[in-house]
Amino acid sequence: MSGRVEIEYCTQCRWLPRAAWLAQELLTTFEAELTELALKPGTGGVFVVRVGDEVVWDRREQGFPEPTAVKRAVRDRVAPGKSLGHSER
């Protein structure tokens, strides 16, 4: 599975800080597993997290993600079996 994560966020909604914070959380947790993390400016209320070409979180369907939920979704694709430590309890 791809070690590339993309966070597409709405520039009109000013969601860059939220996207950047989530990117930092993911890079900190998966620094050995991820090969790239991209922030992709978008419009129209978009906030989507992709691993490779697969959407793992879409704000329109699931609301804004808790970091732990996104970490689980990413972990299941890039590092199955990896413990997320205290954030998994």
Side-chain angles (χ1 to χ4, degrees):
M1 188 46 136
S2 171
R4 180 181 195 276
V5 171
E6 176 184 281
I7 302 171
E8 185 176 3
Y9 65 94
C10 179
T11 57
Q12 297 164 308
C13 305
R14 307 205 187 290
W15 287 341
L16 172 59
R18 189 185 294 252
W21 177 74
L22 184 58
Q24 179 180 318
E25 288 287 307
L26 292 173
L27 286 168
T28 300
T29 301
F30 301 106
E31 61 187 356
E33 291 85 7
L34 297 183
T35 56
E36 180 182 4
L37 196 147
L39 294 176
K40 180 179 177 181
T43 57
V46 68
F47 197 92
V48 174
V49 180
R50 294 179 184 88
V51 177
D53 295 328
E54 182 184 359
V55 172
V56 298
W57 199 277
D58 187 338
R59 181 199 65 82
R60 286 191 180 105
E61 296 171 12
Q62 298 158 284
F64 274 111
E66 289 296 317
T68 302
V70 175
K71 286 180 185 180
R72 275 194 210 105
V74 171
R75 184 263 323 265
D76 291 347
R77 287 153 183 87
V78 302
K82 178 182 174 98
S83 170
L84 295 179
H86 71 278
S87 66
E88 227 173 359
R89 291 193 197 116

